[in-house]
């Protein structure tokens, strides 16, 4: 059986990070490639989040939702975790300036974290979050804060 290629994508890979506000800002999204001949699924198995602004005592909320559009952000290239693997076929977008359309009631992960803390979620085997092989459909990692207005980081590890 052939091993699946594994990748890492972070909103620090490309582009200017977006400052948070009281509305969700998409840090990283994975979508099936728009217009591709063969659409691919991706399985997110690791999520890491944190704030990289000046330390203070604020709460940040991170959320993972399904999306039906890509939105407007910076195209980024995921890094293969094995340098011998080919480039990922899934589309990666970071630091959105126009938010994607989020599918209502599809929240898969929501977590409030103090700004001074970081958090890592690792899927139990078989519990990975699946990006469907549907044109422009995807999963986005978003963050917001009612008090913290600087930047946050988000990293997704996935395989396809």
């Amino acid at each position: 059986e052939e091993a699946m290629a594994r990748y890492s994508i972070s909103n620090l890979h490309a582009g200017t990070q977006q400052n948070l506000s009281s509305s969700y800002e998409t840090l990283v999204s994975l979508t099936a490639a728009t217009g591709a001949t063969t659409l691919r699924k991706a399985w997110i198995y690791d999520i890491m989040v944190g704030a990289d602004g000046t330390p203070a005592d604020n709460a940040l909320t991170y959320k993972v939702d399904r999306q039906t559009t890509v939105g407007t952000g910076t195209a980024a290239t995921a890094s293969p975790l094995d340098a011998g693997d080919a480039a990922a076929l899934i589309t990666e977008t970071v630091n959105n300036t126009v938010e994607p359309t989020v599918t209502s009631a599809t929240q898969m992960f929501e977590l409030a974290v103090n700004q001074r803390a970081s958090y890592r979620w690792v899927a139990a085997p078989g519990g990975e979050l699946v990006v469907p092989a549907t044109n422009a459909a995807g999963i986005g990692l978003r963050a917001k804060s009612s008090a913290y207005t600087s930047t946050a980081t988000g990293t997704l590890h996935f395989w396809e």
Side-chain angles (χ1 to χ4, degrees):
E1 183 176 312
E2 183 180 336
M4 303 301 275
R6 297 181 186 274
Y7 302 91
S8 174
I9 185 69
S10 166
N11 66 323
L12 299 175
H13 269 88
T16 302
Q17 289 176 265
Q18 300 302 307
N19 287 335
L20 298 186
S21 69
S22 58
S23 298
Y24 280 105
E25 303 287 340
T26 301
L27 305 177
V28 181
S29 64
L30 300 178
T31 54
T34 304
T37 306
T38 304
L39 296 171
R40 296 282 297 255
K41 286 184 179 181
W43 289 260
I44 299 169
Y45 65 90
D46 198 342
I47 299 172
M48 292 161 275
V49 295
D52 57 349
T54 303
D57 192 19
N58 296 306
L60 282 75
T61 302
Y62 295 93
K63 189 174 184 183
V64 175
D65 294 290
R66 293 203 179 277
Q67 302 172 339
T68 56
T69 66
V70 178
T72 303
T74 302
T77 302
S79 301
L81 296 180
D82 177 341
D85 285 334
L89 297 177
I90 203 86
T91 300
E92 305 96 14
T93 306
V94 299
N95 304 317
N96 282 59
T97 54
V98 175
E99 289 299 301
T101 302
V102 173
T103 309
S104 64
T106 61
Q107 156 184 323
M108 294 178 274
F109 175 96
E110 186 169 9
L111 173 75
V113 177
N114 186 283
Q115 178 193 349
R116 291 184 174 139
S118 57
Y119 184 83
R120 182 175 185 194
W121 172 84
V122 180
E128 299 85 1
L129 306 179
V130 182
V131 177
T134 303
N135 191 46
I139 292 177
L141 170 61
R142 306 184 305 147
K144 73 175 183 176
S145 177
S146 59
Y148 176 69
T149 57
S150 191
T151 56
T153 62
T155 300
L156 303 178
H157 283 184
F158 66 97
W159 55 271
E160 63 173 25

